């Protein structure tokens, strides 16, 4: 019984990595996925920023959900999420100004990231605080993993470096750092994911 | 002249979908059929323009004078949510046929990041259209929002047209559905890259 | 599970949440106000230290109007001037800090803010492009991209950004001349 419980808690975290990966399987949050993954570092940072908001909003929403009237729940959730996003914005401006500048517009846009509102609606409002926090961590890590992988691929092909460390002289295939490369890299990664991971 | 540059730049050069990556979710979600894509584009055009004007005024006359810019994100998203709701109610009353056409797309627009993205961009970024970089005034902001929305519609409808044809083709199994759509979008984005540098 | 939706409790609930959230944000804003200001100052100071030779003491901030545009600059005693030069790049403003030493040569440059295309114009922040301006003597080398008959190696496929960057440096050099001319003038009086 007890083992079962720890197992299910553990699976709350791991399911976001592969089985319910928010990018490759649920196909949510496409805008930051495509826009901020010009390098592995940017993808990682964007993923962590989203995870931060996801965990906190999941916790708060699981706590207040029983008291919120059904008809106004979506506006309430959005206000809660927007609050944490703004807190994140202020903290990043204060302590990580260069990262904030790179990610720019996509930090405030976490508010309308379907992943965050989606988890609030699908999980946090009917589960306990602890489980919601774990769900936030799991899905957040899955998102971070996906963004880092896409960023890594685009960085290797586009600028010939890994996490900023150059391994070739000069430029890579420039298109991969630019807009078209984002779509194409994500498309082919999804193909690989479909082929090898999802369908055993 | 400046307005013409704004329009060309927003529709082609900095296309909101293909070069700024805003509003991708509905782009991939409802672009299976051409007529739903047209409906969605219409609704987005309407809301983006309206939301940008309203949030611009709020920012200019409420948030900035009272030093409340830290409430920007939260107030903008509330305004957009309220606006979408209002548009829905008004449309239902005065033009039921238009409501029929756009109705189902309206609730989706609140979480379309193109709307919030354009609203935030307009009040926080300097733009340059051939001349000096500067903050937009209300007139320019309105034109910019409208043109951006038209660019959104253009990319969306082109993409839906391509996808309608794609669905009839024999696509390898792992590519079926989204992957091939994304790769198609990538090739479209490459075509739009050709516009860069003309403004 | 969820509470019943009556008009009263909907209004109460929404207002309560909005109030609570605004309060949280007001506190967060107050707490981070100081660190944000400090982060900005630290960034400016780091840029000054990067673009000028080593100097002791603090750089003194000033501003000057040149050709109808206002320029902020920092004067470091015994080292030179760091000019904040804003130009229009490929997309939006390109803000460059240009360090000019006492001989009127460029010591180094640093990008303060840019929104150029990643992978193309954004490369102006990288060593490969910026290094060529170190120790640039405007009397010896012509400050214009090679396409325009100068000596600046432009970034591949980003001539507009390269031109803007070059223009920012040229403006800064002109501003320094203006400053020293003014100071020289006041010394004589």
């Amino acid at each position: 019984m007890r083992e079962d419980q720890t197992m299910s808690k553990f699976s709350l975290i791991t399911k976001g990595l592969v089985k319910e990966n928010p990018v490759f399987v649920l196909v949510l949050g496409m805008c930051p996925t495509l826009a901020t993954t010009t390098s592995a570092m940017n993808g990682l940072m964007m993923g962590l920023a989203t995870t931060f908001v996801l965990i906190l909003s999941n916790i708060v929403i699981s706590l207040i959900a029983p008291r919120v009237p059904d008809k106004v729940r979506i506006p309430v959730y959005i206000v809660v999420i927007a609050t944490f996003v703004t807190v994140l914005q202020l903290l990043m401006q204060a302590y990580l100004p260069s990262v904030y500048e790179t990610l720019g517009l996509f930090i405030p846009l976490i508010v309308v990231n379907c992943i965050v509102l989606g988890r609030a609606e699908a999980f946090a409002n009917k589960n306990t605080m602890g489980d919601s926090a774990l769900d936030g961590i799991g899905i957040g890590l899955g998102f971070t993993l996906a963004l880092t992988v896409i960023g890594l691929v685009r960085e290797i092909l586009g600028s010939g470096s890994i996490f900023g460390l150059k391994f070739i002289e000069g430029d890579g295939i420039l298109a991969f750092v630019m807009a078209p490369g984002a779509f194409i890299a994500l498309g082919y990664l999804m193909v690989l994911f479909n082929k090898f991971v999802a369908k055993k | 002249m400046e307005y013409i540059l704004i329009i060309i730049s927003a529709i082609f050069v900095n296309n909101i979908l293909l070069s700024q990556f805003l509003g991708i979710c509905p782009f991939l979600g409802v672009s299976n059929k051409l007529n739903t894509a047209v409906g969605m584009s219409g609704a987005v055009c309407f809301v983006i323009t309206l939301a940008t004007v309203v949030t611009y005024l709020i920012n200019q006359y409420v948030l900035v004078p009272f030093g409340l810019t830290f409430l920007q994100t939260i107030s903008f998203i509330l305004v957009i949510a309220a606006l979408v709701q209002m548009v829905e109610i008004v449309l239902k009353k005065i033009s039921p046929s238009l409501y029929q056409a756009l109705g189902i797309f309206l609730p989706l627009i609140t979480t379309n990041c193109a709307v919030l993205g354009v609203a935030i961009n307009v009040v926080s970024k300097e733009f340059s259209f051939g001349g000096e970089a500067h903050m937009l005034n209300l007139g320019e902001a309105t034109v910019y929002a409208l043109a951006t929305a038209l660019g959104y519609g253009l990319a969306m409808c082109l993409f839906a047209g391509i996808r309608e044809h794609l669905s009839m083709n024999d696509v390898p199994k792992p590519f079926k559905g989204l992957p091939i759509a994304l790769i198609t979008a990538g090739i479209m984005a490459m075509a739009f890259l050709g516009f860069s540098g003309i403004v | 599970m969820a509470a019943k939706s009556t008009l009263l409790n909907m209004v109460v609930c929404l207002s309560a949440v909005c109030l609570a959230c605004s309060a949280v944000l007001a506190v967060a804003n107050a707490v981070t106000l100081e660190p944000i200001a400090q982060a900005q100052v630290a960034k400016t100071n780091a840029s000054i230290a990067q673009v000028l030779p080593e100097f002791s003491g603090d750089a003194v901030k000033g501003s000057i109007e040149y050709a109808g545009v206002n320029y902020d600059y920092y004067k470091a005693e015994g080292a030179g001037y760091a000019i904040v030069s804003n130009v229009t790049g490929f997309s939006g403003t390109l803000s460059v800090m240009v360090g000019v030493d006492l001989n009127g040569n460029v010591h180094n440059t640093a990008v303060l803010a840019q929104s150029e295309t990643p992978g193309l114009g954004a490369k102006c922040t990288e060593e490969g492009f910026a290094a060529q301006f170190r120790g640039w003597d405007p009397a010896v080398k012509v400050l214009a991209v090679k396409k325009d008959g100068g000596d600046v190696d432009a970034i591949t496929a980003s001539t507009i950004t390269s031109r803007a960057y070059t223009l920012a440096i040229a403006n800064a050099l002109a501003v320094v001349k203006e400053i020293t001319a003014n100071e020289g003038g006041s010394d004589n009086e």
Side-chain angles (χ1 to χ4, degrees):
Chain A
M1 176 73 195
R2 169 151 271 186
E3 198 151 88
D4 260 18
Q5 267 184 353
T6 38
M7 267 309 286
S8 73
K9 299 255 184 249
F10 186 65
S11 77
L12 273 180
I13 296 186
T14 52
K15 71 171 186 222
L17 293 178
V18 178
K19 215 175 86 204
E20 286 185 30
N21 189 293
V23 174
F24 293 123
V25 181
L26 306 178
V27 200
L28 293 173
M30 281 295 116
C31 303
T33 306
L34 292 165
T36 60
T37 51
T38 47
S39 71
M41 199 60 192
N42 289 350
L44 180 66
M45 282 299 169
M46 187 67 213
L48 291 179
T50 311
T51 309
F52 171 88
V53 174
L54 196 54
I55 295 172
L56 289 177
S57 70
N58 258 5
I59 290 175
V60 170
I61 286 167
S62 70
L63 287 176
I64 62 169
R67 288 158 201 272
V68 175
D70 210 35
K71 275 189 186 148
V72 291
R73 67 178 198 286
I74 300 290
V76 168
Y77 298 165
I78 292 183
V79 170
V80 170
I81 295 167
T83 308
F84 285 120
V85 169
T86 312
V87 169
L88 175 75
Q89 266 180 289
L90 292 168
L91 288 175
M92 284 181 81
Q93 273 174 311
Y95 301 107
L96 294 166
S98 57
V99 178
Y100 181 77
E101 252 168 53
T102 324
L103 299 179
L105 180 63
F106 286 89
I107 295 294
L109 285 185
I110 296 175
V111 178
V112 282
N113 188 324
C114 345
I115 296 175
V116 185
L117 192 61
R119 289 329 283 179
E121 181 69 0
F123 194 94
N125 71 357
K126 36 182 129 23
N127 284 286
T128 61
M129 189 189 104
D131 283 359
S132 302
L134 291 178
D135 179 71
I137 296 173
I139 296 288
L141 286 182
F143 188 60
T144 311
L145 181 75
L147 257 62
T148 314
V149 168
I150 299 168
L152 199 62
V153 169
R154 288 181 66 189
E155 197 184 339
I156 291 173
L157 293 172
S159 6
S161 59
I162 297 176
F163 280 99
L165 297 170
K166 276 242 174 223
F167 62 82
I168 58 160
E169 278 294 308
D171 298 326
I173 310 160
L174 271 183
F176 275 96
V177 191
M178 299 168 72
F183 288 108
I184 291 172
L186 181 59
Y188 277 103
L189 281 173
M190 255 183 198
V191 170
L192 292 177
F193 193 88
N194 284 347
K195 184 108 183 118
F196 296 110
V197 186
K199 313 219 172 74
K200 277 270 161 69
Chain B
M1 186 60 202
E2 161 120 13
Y3 287 111
I4 295 171
L5 285 179
I6 292 179
I7 291 169
I8 293 173
S9 155
I11 295 183
F12 297 109
V13 183
N14 293 309
N15 187 281
I16 185 166
L17 274 169
L18 297 172
S19 82
Q20 300 184 51
F21 303 113
L22 295 172
I24 301 286
C25 288
F27 178 59
L28 297 173
V30 304
S31 60
N32 281 324
K33 289 223 178 69
L34 190 57
N35 50 4
T36 47
V38 172
M40 185 69 180
S41 312
V44 167
C45 272
F46 199 56
V47 175
I48 284 188
T49 316
L50 205 57
T52 306
V53 173
V54 174
T55 52
Y56 185 93
L57 293 173
I58 288 182
N59 189 63
Q60 189 90 325
Y61 295 108
V62 181
L63 297 182
V64 173
F66 293 103
L68 293 173
T69 40
F70 64 91
L71 291 179
Q72 204 178 62
T73 314
I74 199 168
S75 58
F76 280 20
I77 188 70
L78 281 178
V79 166
I80 290 167
L83 214 57
V84 169
Q85 202 79 57
M86 219 177 67
V87 167
E88 207 177 333
I89 295 169
V90 171
L91 220 53
K92 213 176 193 171
K93 281 261 156 64
I94 58 168
S95 172
S97 58
L98 196 59
Y99 178 76
Q100 284 267 302
L102 303 185
I104 44 164
F105 303 109
L106 283 171
L108 289 174
I109 293 177
T110 310
T111 53
N112 184 335
C113 55
V115 183
L116 185 62
V118 171
I120 294 180
N121 249 345
V122 160
V123 298
S124 59
K125 219 176 102 182
E126 286 185 324
F127 288 84
S128 62
F129 303 101
E132 286 289 307
H134 59 84
M135 299 300 284
L136 298 182
N137 62 34
L138 184 58
E140 290 165 337
T142 314
V143 173
Y144 174 77
L146 184 62
T148 305
L150 288 176
Y152 189 94
L154 176 75
M156 184 97 152
C157 294
L158 285 177
F159 190 55
I162 298 176
R163 273 187 90 174
E164 272 192 350
H165 285 275
L166 260 185
S167 66
M168 284 176 249
N169 285 323
D170 188 18
V171 177
K173 199 164 166 253
F175 281 87
K176 276 224 163 78
L178 272 176
I180 190 74
L182 281 166
I183 293 166
T184 311
I187 296 169
M188 270 179 77
M190 248 182 231
F192 270 74
L193 264 191
F195 291 114
S196 77
I198 61 172
V199 171
Chain C
M1 168 200 74
K4 255 218 194 116
S5 315
T6 62
L7 185 64
L8 182 69
N9 76 5
M10 286 199 304
V11 172
V12 168
C13 174
L14 257 184
S15 330
V17 169
C18 284
L19 259 181
C21 288
S22 310
V24 168
L25 286 183
V27 171
N29 186 54
V31 171
T32 51
L33 209 54
E34 185 75 358
I36 288 176
Q38 270 173 8
Q40 267 155 6
V41 171
K43 195 185 164 199
T44 311
N45 283 340
S47 303
I48 296 174
Q50 192 193 330
V51 299
L52 283 178
E54 254 183 74
F55 60 94
S56 53
D58 287 329
V60 187
K61 189 179 174 178
S63 75
I64 185 171
E65 200 186 299
Y66 175 74
V69 185
N70 249 324
Y71 289 88
D72 283 337
Y73 68 88
Y74 299 86
K75 181 186 181 184
E77 209 57 60
Y81 297 90
I83 316 288
V84 179
S85 189
N86 297 324
V87 287
T88 303
F90 184 68
S91 48
T93 305
L94 174 66
S95 180
V96 186
M97 186 180 271
V98 183
V100 181
D101 64 19
L102 295 172
N103 303 323
N105 296 343
V106 177
H107 184 73
N108 199 356
T109 56
V111 176
L112 297 180
Q114 55 94 10
S115 45
E116 304 302 292
T117 322
L120 289 174
K123 282 206 184 118
C124 65
T125 56
E126 286 172 18
E127 214 20 49
F129 176 69
Q132 62 179 314
F133 296 109
R134 227 159 275 161
W136 189 282
D137 184 349
V140 178
K141 290 200 271 185
V142 182
L143 207 47
V145 293
K146 285 197 169 138
K147 226 185 214 171
D148 303 341
D151 292 311
V152 175
D153 284 316
I155 306 165
T156 317
S158 308
T159 316
I160 297 177
T161 306
S162 312
R163 270 193 198 128
Y165 203 97
T166 310
L167 177 69
I169 297 175
N171 285 350
L173 288 172
V175 168
V176 169
K177 266 194 194 134
E178 182 83 5
I179 298 171
T180 41
N182 283 351
E183 281 176 354
S186 59
D187 280 352
N188 290 340
E189 276 172 316

